[in-house]
Amino acid sequence: MGVSRAPQPLDLGPTGCEVLVVGCGNLLRGDDGVGPVLVRHLWERGVPDGARLVDGGTAGMDVAFQMRGARRVVIIDAAATGSRPGTIFKVPGEELAELPPLDGLHSHSFRWDNAIAFARWALGEECPSDITVFLVEALDVELGAELSEPVRTAMEEVIGHVESEYLQPLRPRPADDAVVEITDDGYLRLDADLAAGRFPSDALVAAVRGDELWLIPLQGPRSGGLLLKQRNPAGDRSLLVREILADRPLRGRYAAFWDDAQAALRIPLAVER
């Protein structure tokens, strides 16, 4: 006779992370969609281990539960304060203590402030204490509108803040000097830390300049250029450079160095390591 056991509850909540970035708003209403659009741009630029990006849309309750287990939370949303369009407001956690009450709220009326208040009520001690909100003043929230120019410019500035303050510390920090390999079949191989630290979007431009091969990172695939391909589960990357090197029959391991001034990985081709 078998032994009956009580069913174990399933924990379907999101796993914890170092940084959670949530973009709130309605993609169908122009500048109101700045949060989700920003999250999509961050995704294209590469998400480091330990970070999670969430398109919160207009589902405030879902946003609240996404916060569970996150150490730091960044929320981006549109604002309508009457300020100049594109104005950025950064609201640090200590200014979020007094939030709207939950009484009488309809699920479709949730915005970032209601989501935080609901998260504190629903998650209790599991609600993160490190929460920062970026608000971008909207210009046009008409149905079907695109992001306006001032809001798009402001979005790029917010992306810079989120990258430098929250995502960059999670990325690998490769040394300025490295070693790469050119294979017999014309592929350039980069190890995982070098690829993730210098080319987080996997998009780049490759060009021969003099006796050097230059690799210049791009912000994402929509910028054009070439794409690094994943070689193995460890995260090593490869790039077909046979046509770029043209008549140079190169193979073997080569020293490389990162040029901060040119924002490029430079690989001298004259001497094999």
Side-chain angles (χ1 to χ4, degrees):
M1 179 179 294
V3 178
S4 62
R5 291 187 174 89
Q8 297 299 309
L10 294 177
D11 184 1
L12 300 179
T15 57
C17 60
E18 284 294 307
V19 174
L20 172 70
V21 181
V22 181
C24 297
N26 189 338
L27 277 170
L28 300 179
R29 291 195 172 274
D31 292 339
D32 190 50
V34 63
V37 172
L38 183 147
V39 162
R40 294 180 184 190
H41 278 259
L42 285 178
W43 183 266
E44 287 188 350
R45 295 174 185 224
V47 185
D49 291 340
R52 192 166 79 248
L53 306 183
V54 173
D55 179 347
T58 57
M61 286 189 178
D62 182 60
V63 169
F65 287 111
Q66 290 286 346
M67 294 185 198
R68 180 185 177 193
R71 190 175 73 83
R72 307 176 75 190
V73 175
V74 185
I75 298 176
I76 301 95
D77 202 352
T81 67
S83 300
R84 178 175 53 83
T87 299
I88 299 170
F89 303 93
K90 182 178 180 181
V91 188
E94 57 267 23
E95 296 183 18
L96 300 173
E98 299 297 330
L99 291 172
L102 293 174
D103 296 341
L105 281 176
H106 189 276
S107 61
H108 293 291
S109 69
F110 264 51
R111 296 297 294 204
W112 64 270
D113 48 358
N114 307 129
I116 295 174
F118 182 77
R120 287 176 175 164
W121 174 80
L123 302 180
E125 294 183 355
E126 291 187 286
C127 182
S129 58
D130 187 340
I131 302 175
T132 299
V133 178
F134 288 94
L135 301 175
V136 178
E137 186 72 15
L139 172 64
D140 185 358
V141 293
E142 291 297 319
L143 186 65
E146 299 288 335
L147 289 186
S148 65
E149 188 59 34
V151 168
R152 188 172 294 278
T153 299
M155 179 187 71
E156 291 294 336
E157 184 176 339
V158 174
I159 286 175
H161 285 302
V162 174
E163 173 64 35
S164 62
E165 296 178 28
Y166 296 92
L167 301 184
Q168 189 61 42
L170 300 179
R171 300 193 189 279
R173 299 183 181 182
D176 289 339
D177 297 323
V179 175
V180 300
E181 180 184 3
I182 299 177
T183 65
D184 291 341
D185 52 355
Y187 278 88
L188 177 73
R189 293 179 174 177
L190 309 175
D191 69 38
D193 284 350
L194 177 60
R198 301 301 188 190
F199 308 96
S201 73
D202 285 339
L204 55 84
V205 171
V208 173
R209 295 186 174 181
D211 289 327
E212 294 182 343
L213 175 63
W214 285 34
L215 304 182
I216 304 171
L218 298 175
Q219 292 183 347
R222 72 176 65 195
S223 301
L226 305 172
L227 289 177
L228 292 172
K229 296 181 179 180
Q230 186 161 339
R231 290 181 50 232
N232 54 38
D236 296 338
R237 296 291 197 268
S238 64
L239 177 71
L240 184 62
V241 294
R242 182 174 57 235
E243 294 183 0
I244 298 169
L245 296 176
D247 58 348
R248 298 171 183 250
L250 300 171
R251 62 181 60 87
R253 293 166 61 84
Y254 293 82
F257 66 96
W258 180 257
D259 185 338
D260 266 325
Q262 302 294 334
L265 184 70
R266 297 171 59 175
I267 308 165
L269 301 173
V271 181
E272 182 180 346
R273 182 181 175 107

